Amino acid sequence: MNVKLSSTFFLKIIAFLIGIAVLAVCIYWLPQAALRDAKVRPGDYSIYPLLICAYGVCITFSVALYQAYKLLSYININNAFSELSLNSLKVIKKCALTTIFFILFLIVYLRVSAMFTGEDAAGPIALGLIGILVTAIIAAIIDVLQKPIKNILENM
């Protein structure tokens, strides 16, 4: 097994394991959190926007992870500089921007909710801003990776 094949295989395994973790969060942890909240505060539906954002982030992250898996497959078969890999990078970048949208929606909701309840939402808002920063960095890296592939495809 050559080095490139083993490294892409390792990254595929990591992507698969991360996908299983995201699936576990969506299937087990988020519904359990909603049930606990419903038992503690019956008739209060303030967790719904949080669940919408959490599921939105999980779904877009899963789509981006699948596209990264496909990109690794293209690299494995020496199609790294192809239209298929460019399309995968475009989808990953759109997923990153969608994730930023969901996090911004969550931050606005937390801020408005904190105004009405009097609670301090600085911690979750700071975590959301860190999430936006990390996601924006990933989107910028994807944009930088797209440019050489576009140039190679245009010059062919």
Side-chain angles (χ1 to χ4, degrees):
M1 193 185 269
N2 63 20
V3 175
K4 184 178 79 170
L5 186 61
S6 64
S7 63
T8 55
F9 182 71
F10 175 73
L11 289 173
K12 282 182 178 181
I13 289 174
I14 295 299
F16 182 74
L17 292 175
I18 292 172
I20 289 174
V22 169
L23 184 67
V25 165
C26 287
I27 291 176
Y28 179 73
W29 190 76
L30 288 176
Q32 289 295 324
L35 286 173
R36 280 192 305 266
D37 187 68
K39 288 177 185 175
V40 171
R41 297 184 284 174
D44 184 16
Y45 303 109
S46 64
I47 197 166
Y48 287 158
L50 301 174
L51 286 174
I52 289 170
C53 289
Y55 276 113
V57 167
C58 285
I59 290 169
T60 56
F61 184 75
S62 297
V63 170
L65 204 58
Y66 174 69
Q67 292 298 322
Y69 189 86
K70 281 176 48 176
L71 185 62
L72 289 169
S73 296
Y74 299 146
I75 291 170
N76 230 4
I77 59 173
N78 291 327
N79 267 348
F81 297 104
S82 67
E83 191 70 36
L84 295 171
S85 61
L86 185 64
N87 289 338
S88 289
L89 288 172
K90 285 179 184 178
V91 171
I92 292 170
K93 190 168 97 175
K94 287 178 184 177
C95 287
L97 296 175
T98 305
T99 301
I100 289 173
F101 168 75
F102 279 119
I103 295 173
L104 279 175
F105 178 74
L106 181 66
I107 288 173
V108 168
Y109 173 73
L110 287 173
R111 184 66 190 128
V112 169
S113 174
M115 285 181 2
F116 289 115
T117 62
E119 295 179 6
D120 185 22
I125 289 174
L127 288 175
L129 292 173
I130 292 170
I132 288 174
L133 177 68
V134 169
T135 308
I137 290 170
I138 291 170
I141 290 170
I142 295 298
D143 193 46
V144 168
L145 289 174
Q146 278 182 332
K147 290 181 183 182
I149 295 175
K150 284 181 185 177
N151 290 338
I152 289 172
L153 290 176
E154 287 174 0
N155 294 331
M156 288 179 85

